[in-house]
Amino acid sequence: MAETGKRLAVIGASGHGKVVADIAERNGYGTIVFLDDNEALNECGKYRVAGRTKEAAAYAKRGYDIIVAIGNGQIRQRMQEALEADGIVCATLVHPMAVLAADIQPGSGTVVMALAVVNAGSRVGKGCIINTCASVDHDCSIGDYVHVAVGAHLAGAVSAGRRTWIGAGAVVSNNISVCEDCMIGAGAAVVRDIEESGTYVGVPAKKR
Ligand SMILES: CC(C)(COP(=O)(O)OP(=O)(O)OC[C@H]1O[C@@H](n2cnc3c(N)ncnc32)[C@H](O)[C@@H]1OP(=O)(O)O)[C@@H](O)C(=O)NCCC(=O)NCCS
């Protein structure tokens, strides 16, 4: 691919990264490459793996925007913070068919995927993933590096602490707080505040 238009280096050549790259393309990025430390990887979908993660700063100097597309919240945080220490502010990507209320400004490094909805009064931190068909209703607080997985729904005024992962199709009822570093299992229904980090599954969600 010739280097045209806006340029983006995506860290993490994975299925998730491929979706991030597609959203970038729809946001006008004409040149997209991947950086990954697995030397066996040469491509990610139709995109080229052009180098290793340590080359991100060099790509930034060449005018590339950078985004970390790694599902694990701890690793995503570590990599984004390392970039920030080098003075790099990660790109924010919103799919053109996501619906964000006018007052929503997702933080740096956050990606909002197709058919996701974020309603008025919510705060979405940095390095978050609001995945395909997920919804975050009014007045929620989504901490840094949170992942709201595919088809998960947060009702109004929910708070999700840093690095928490709300699993696929899970539901968090209104006014509920989920503390940091939780894994909410796929299909769970959270109906009480969660104050202790850990893995919670089931309906109603219980600690495993
Ligand atoms: C909750 C979760 C993290 C547990 O993973 P794990 O530690 O590897 O657990 P295991 O698969 O070994 O299962 C352990 C037990 O928990 C049960 N379990 C696992 N996930 C469950 C879930 N979501 N709801 C209810 N029970 C669940 C298993 O059936 C198993 O029960 P058993 O001991 O009676 O056989 C995982 O199953 C999950 O739901 N991850 C979310 C994935 C997701 O949302 N991906 C979206 C990507 S966008």
Side-chain angles (χ1 to χ4, degrees):
M1 203 192 274
E3 289 196 1
T4 54
K6 293 198 290 179
R7 291 180 267 181
L8 181 72
V10 182
I11 296 181
S14 62
H16 171 59
K18 215 182 291 178
V19 180
V20 169
D22 177 69
I23 296 170
E25 210 171 306
R26 290 164 191 272
N27 277 280
Y29 283 91
T31 301
I32 299 170
V33 297
F34 277 87
L35 303 177
D36 197 287
D37 291 335
N38 181 348
E39 294 186 7
L41 289 177
N42 297 315
E43 52 198 31
C44 182
K46 64 177 186 173
Y47 309 99
R48 187 166 65 93
V49 178
R52 309 291 151 238
T53 60
K54 65 179 182 203
E55 293 168 52
Y59 271 86
K61 281 203 184 85
R62 285 169 54 193
Y64 279 72
D65 291 341
I66 311 286
I67 192 162
V68 182
I70 292 176
N72 180 296
Q74 280 181 339
I75 299 174
R76 199 163 63 254
Q77 176 174 12
R78 181 161 44 77
M79 298 200 101
Q80 183 163 331
E81 287 181 352
L83 292 165
E84 287 170 356
D86 277 341
I88 297 165
V89 177
C90 286
T92 302
L93 291 174
V94 177
H95 193 287
M97 289 188 69
V99 180
L100 270 59
D103 61 341
I104 306 299
Q105 291 187 317
S108 62
T110 286
V111 57
V112 184
M113 295 187 166
L115 302 184
V117 177
V118 183
N119 270 339
S122 289
R123 172 198 170 265
V124 180
K126 61 183 183 178
C128 294
I129 304 168
I130 311 297
N131 219 318
T132 313
C133 294
S135 69
V136 173
D137 221 285
H138 64 90
D139 301 308
C140 287
S141 173
I142 308 299
D144 296 342
Y145 308 103
V146 162
H147 180 178
V148 184
V150 293
H153 298 297
L154 310 190
V158 162
S159 158
R162 292 195 305 168
R163 294 173 298 276
T164 275
W165 180 323
I166 311 288
V171 170
V172 184
S173 197
N174 54 302
N175 302 311
I176 295 291
S177 287
V178 179
C179 69
E180 61 186 28
D181 294 310
C182 286
M183 161 58 80
I184 307 299
V190 182
V191 296
R192 298 272 178 268
D193 287 351
I194 293 180
E195 292 167 349
E196 193 183 343
S197 302
T199 299
Y200 293 78
V201 298
V203 180
K206 301 247 187 276
K207 192 160 196 235
R208 202 164 63 83

